[in-house]
Structures are given as structure tokens and as C-alpha cells.
């Protein structure tokens, strides 16, 4: 059990949290949610002891071990992968180091023997003999190949480092597990493995995530941060959303009835207060009026953008034909004889672990990269808007947001452009911000503003949900569902893919492609998927 007792955190004059009292108990997985800036990550740091509250305390059941996901990707560069994972149980790792130091002594004394015996006993109690195999099981589950297990952390790509640090947090069956955005930058296979791990985990978990499908799969309760307070809801994310919306609706309806009653009483009092025969009734109604109190409808700190892609031109029957495209990157063939045809009603998700291949294909289709061989042809009625996975170079300018967006607008009118910016929460002076100082989430919202302004009938989007908060992801998700055009996209958000895509493509490590008309859930549940992934030919299949 871990509990926050009267926790307050002040940043200058502002109170991020005020007298928070909440208890997290064993056997539950809590999803910690809230708007950007609400303090989700900060609250996890307070719980983990990385940050001291201004007032109050964090209470942990004596003897319980707490583990949290490290955010510093360079902290363990001097260690190998297996040692880094085992460090998730600090006491076990310290015992291993101390044992090795004693056994390495040339002048081994009786006292050393006694100490070594004590350490061996504690080592066994902590399942030390299974430590390496347990660490390898976690690494393999997350998709870290055996070839990396004895590598130095400093030698690893960032994507592998993230998985190692996650394995470290999970190692050794901690009593309390704190995870801040554990699915970020994980491939979908690793996310699915983590889902199952946490579903079967029997201790206390507190997780921050923008992945709605993940929260729905693993959470038994939701802890909602709003205006410096934290309120618990039983159930997963969808249940929280429905419950919170129902509560707001009920409060509004109750207030409406009270307002009608107030109006009725006021009219009676005004009409009959001077009437002697009705004075007692008027007085009685005055007392009744004084007792009526409207429910406090404090608005949420959440802000939802409004995303609505409207094509300026209807798309024709000929959309896109890709024929025999191949491409080699750094000596690796990432696309091998890829061919497919896009239809006018397609919303295609490109999925799988081969994200380099997906990004390469998108760059080719956007005209940013030439294929080594093969061709592609857009239909004459098509107009494309491209959302790149890496937008760094696009924002390497001193332009304001208004100046950045103006060239893409069919109407060279600042008011027109500011209308789209307002939809994406850039109101008033926000539009005067320089684009080179924007946060990751702000950059994404600018690019989505650009795509709305362009009015294209084809959206080419490479991981557009990265850096967005839950509210913006929901708005984008709904916007793409309603979009009357073609979408080709990649994403690491299961629910986003499932609700938008009607067709799934996966480029295999061989560079070949699976192409299947179905939902994402149907694709994952396909009995023949494992066989298809071993195939070296392009497979196209339509389901009845």
C-alpha cells in the first residue's frame, strides 16, 4: 500500500496539488490521468521519493519495495544490459556485487566466510539464482534480442534502451510499481506483452499513459487529477469517461430543475409579498428559496481541440497506384518489390515493428525520397497533406505560428488562419509564438492546423499521436473517423488504429508486405497471421 497524506506541492505562489489524500492498495492498477500540466508525472515523482512535497507525506507499508520507470536514458551507460535490469532490485544487485568482491579476495578470512554465508542466504531469499534468467525473460518479452543482453547500455539504440529500462522497473516483482508513459516509443508487440504482464501482476501499479486502449486493458481504477485534487473512479478509462460525463449531465439537469424552482418561487414572492392574505405563503417561499443551493459546476482543466478535416475537392476513383517499389537504407533493404492500390474509401494503417520501412514508404509517397526502383502514381483529383514523423527541420525557423501557417492557406487572411489556430487551442497571443520554441505537442497541433487549412483529400500521417495529450488524441481520432477522404497512417495507439482503419498493411523485416482488408483487432486475431509473416511474397486478401 502507498498513500499520500495531505500532500501539497507549491511552485512559487501556485499550488500544483493542495491537501491531496489518496490511498493506492494491493491488487489494483491505477491509471493516473489529467490534462497536460495537471501534474501527473510530478505526482509520480512525489510518490517515488524523487521530489519532496511542500507539505504532507507519502506513507508506504513497511518492508515493501517500490520500483519506478527511469526517465534518464544515459544513467546506466557504464553497465551492461543484464546488470541494468537486475539493478531494478537494488538490494539484490548490491548483494551480488558484495559477494563477488569477497570471493575475489586473495586473503579470504573466517570473517569473510561468515559474511559470505549471510549474503548467500539473503541472495537465495531474493531469488538471486534466477535473477539472470528472470531478467532475460523480461527482455525477451519486450523484444530485446539475446544479442543485446551482454551489450553495454551506451552501445544501444534509444528504442532498445527504453525497453531495458522498462524491464528494470518490472524486475523482481516489486510491491509497488510506478510507470510514467511506459508505452512511449514501444512497438505494438511490446505494448501487447506489457498489457498481459500488468493484467497478471498482483501488486500495486500506478501508471500514467495517453494510450486509451492500454488504460482500458490494464486499469482497475482511474485517479483523475483536476484543479490540484485527485479523485478515484472504479473501472477502466472508458468507465471513468462515461461516469464523469454522466455526473456532469446529472448535475446540469439537477441545476436546471433548481433554477426553474428558484424562478417559480421568486415570481410568487414578487407577486404576492405585498398581499396580506398571501403574505404567510410568500414568507414560506422565501425560506424555501434560501435553502436551494445550486451544485458547484467547476469547469474541468481539460481542453479539447476541434479537429475537422474537410476536403476542398471530392476524390475520384483513381487514388494511388504503387508498383514494385524497393528501397535500401544503410545497406538494409527495407522495401522489397512493394505494390498496392489505394481506393477512394480506404483508411489504411501501416503497422508492425518495421517502423523504418513505414517511414521510408511515406517519405517516398510524399516526394521527400526517391525509390531505388519501382514507381507510384497519384490520381489527378488527389491532393495530399503530409504529417512527417520527424518535424524538427520544419520548425527550425523564427516564424510565428501565424507566419508558418499563412503560405498553406487558400485565403491570405490572418483572421481566417487564426480561426484554425483557435480550434487547435492557439488563441489570442498564442499565435505570436515563435515555432522554434514550441513543445512537441504544440508542434503537432500546428501541423494539424496546417492540414486542416490545406483542405486535402488525402492525409499521409506518420505517427501523428506522438506528443499529444489524451484530449487531443481523442479529437484527432474523431476527426479522422469523420473525414470524407483517404487516410494512410501509422500509429502506436491500438484504439486509434482500430477505430480509424478499414485496411491493414504490414511491411515485414524482409521488406515484403501483408495487405489485408479488415479491422486491426481482426488482423491481430487472424489464425494465418503467423504463417503470413513468414511468407516472402506479397499477400493480398479481402474478407467477405
Amino acid at each position: 500500500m502507498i498513500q499520500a497524506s495531505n500532500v501539497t506541492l507549491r511552485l512559487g505562489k501556485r499550488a500544483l496539488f493542495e491537501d491531496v489524500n489518496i490511498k493506492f492498495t494491493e491488487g489494483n492498477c491505477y491509471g493516473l490521468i489529467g490534462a497536460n500540466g495537471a501534474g501527473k508525472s510530478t505526482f509520480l515523482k512525489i510518490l517515488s521519493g524523487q521530489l519532496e512535497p511542500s507539505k504532507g507525506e507519502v506513507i508506504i507499508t513497511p518492508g515493501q519495495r517500490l520500483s519506478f520507470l527511469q526517465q534518464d536514458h544515459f544513467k546506466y551507460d557504464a553497465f551492461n544490459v543484464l546488470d541494468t535490469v537486475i539493478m531494478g532490485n537494488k538490494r539484490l544487485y548490491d548483494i551480488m556485487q558484495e559477494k563477488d568482491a569477497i570471493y575475489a579476495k586473495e586473503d579470504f578470512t573466517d570473517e569473510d566466510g561468515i559474511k559470505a554465508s549471510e549474503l548467500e542466504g539473503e541472495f537465495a531469499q531474493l531469488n538471486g539464482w534466477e535473477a539472470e534468467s528472470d531478467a532475460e525473460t523480461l527482455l525477451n518479452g519486450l523484444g530485446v534480442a539475446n544479442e543485446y543482453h551482454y551489450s553495454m547500455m551506451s552501445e544501444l539504440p534509444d528504442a532498445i534502451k527504453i525497453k531495458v529500462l522498462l524491464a528494470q522497473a518490472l524486475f523482481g516483482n516489486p510491491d509497488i510499481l510506478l510507470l510514467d508513459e511506459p508505452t512511449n516509443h514501444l512497438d505494438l508487440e511490446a505494448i501487447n506483452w506489457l498489457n498481459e504482464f500488468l493484467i497478471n501482476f498482483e501488486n500495486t501499479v500506478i501508471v500514467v499513459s495517453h494510450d486509451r486502449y492500454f488504460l482500458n486493458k490494464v486499469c482497475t481504477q482511474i485517479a483523475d487529477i483536476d484543479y490540484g485534487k485527485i479523485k478515484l473512479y472504479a473501472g477502466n478509462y472508458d468507465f471513468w469517461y462515461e461516469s464523469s460525463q454522466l455526473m456532469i449531465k446529472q448535475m446540469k439537469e439537477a441545476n436546471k430543475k433548481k433554477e426553474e424552482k428558484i424562478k417559480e418561487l421568486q415570481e410568487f414572492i414578487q407577486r404576492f409579498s405585498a398581499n396580506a392574505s398571501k403574505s404567510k405563503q410568500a414568507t414560506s417561499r422565501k425560506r424555501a428559496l434560501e435553502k436551494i443551493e445550486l451544485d458547484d459546476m467547476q469547469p474541468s482543466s481539460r481542453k479539447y481541440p476541434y479537429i475537422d478535416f474537410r476536403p476542398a475537392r471530392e476524390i475520384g476513383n483513381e487514388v494511388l497506384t504503387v508498383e514494385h517499389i524497393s528501397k535500401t537504407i544503410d545497406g538494409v533493404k527495407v522495401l522489397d518489390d512493394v505494390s498496392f492500390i489505394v481506393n477512394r474509401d480506404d483508411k489504411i494503417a501501416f503497422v508492425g515493428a518495421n517502423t523504418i520501412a513505414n517511414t521510408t514508404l511515406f517519405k517516398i509517397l510524399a516526394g521527400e525520397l526517391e525509390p531505388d526502383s519501382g514507381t507510384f502514381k497519384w490520381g489527378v483529383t488527389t491532393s495530399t497533406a503530409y504529417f512527417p514523423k520527424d518535424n524538427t527541420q520544419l520548425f527550425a525557423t523564427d516564424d510565428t505560428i501565424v507566419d508558418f501557417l499563412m503560405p498553406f492557406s487558400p485565403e491570405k487572411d490572418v483572421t481566417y488562419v487564426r480561426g484554425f489556430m483557435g480550434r487547435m487551442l492557439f488563441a489570442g497571443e498564442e499565435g505570436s509564438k515563435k515555432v522554434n520554441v514550441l513543445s512537441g505537442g504544440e508542434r503537432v497541433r500546428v501541423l494539424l492546423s496546417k492540414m486542416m487549412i490545406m483542405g486535402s483529400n488525402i492525409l499521409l500521417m506518420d505517427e501523428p499521436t506522438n506528443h499529444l495529450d489524451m484530449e487531443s488524441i481523442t479529437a484527432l481520432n474523431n476527426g479522422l473517423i469523420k473525414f470524407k477522404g483517404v487516410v494512410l497512417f501509422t500509429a502506436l495507439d491500438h484504439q486509434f488504429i482500430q477505430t480509424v482503419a478499414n485496411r491493414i498493411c504490414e511491411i515485414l523485416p524482409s521488406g515484403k508486405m501483408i495487405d489485408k482488408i479488415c479491422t486491426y483487432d481482426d488482423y491481430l486475431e487472424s489464425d494465418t497471421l503467423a504463417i503470413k509473416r513468414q511468407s516472402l511474397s506479397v499477400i493480398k486478401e479481402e474478407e467477405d
Side-chain angles (χ1 to χ4, degrees), residues 395-406:
F395 292 96
T397 169
D398 285 332
D399 285 347
T400 64
I401 298 176
V402 173
D403 294 336
F404 179 90
L405 293 174
M406 189 63 75

Side-chain angles (χ1 to χ4, degrees), residues 310 312 402 405-406 408-423 449-455:
R310 296 188 181 184
V402 173
L405 293 174
M406 189 63 75
F408 304 101
S409 175
E411 297 187 27
K412 304 307 176 185
D413 178 6
V414 171
T415 303
Y416 180 78
V417 172
R418 282 189 178 274
F420 286 92
M421 290 167 53
R423 296 179 186 181
S449 298
K450 168 192 161 185
M451 297 178 87
M452 285 192 287
I453 289 172
M454 291 174 69

Side-chain angles (χ1 to χ4, degrees), residues 30-45:
Y30 299 86
L32 188 62
I33 65 171
N36 271 4
K40 300 182 293 292
S41 296
T42 302
F43 189 68
L44 282 191
K45 288 180 180 178

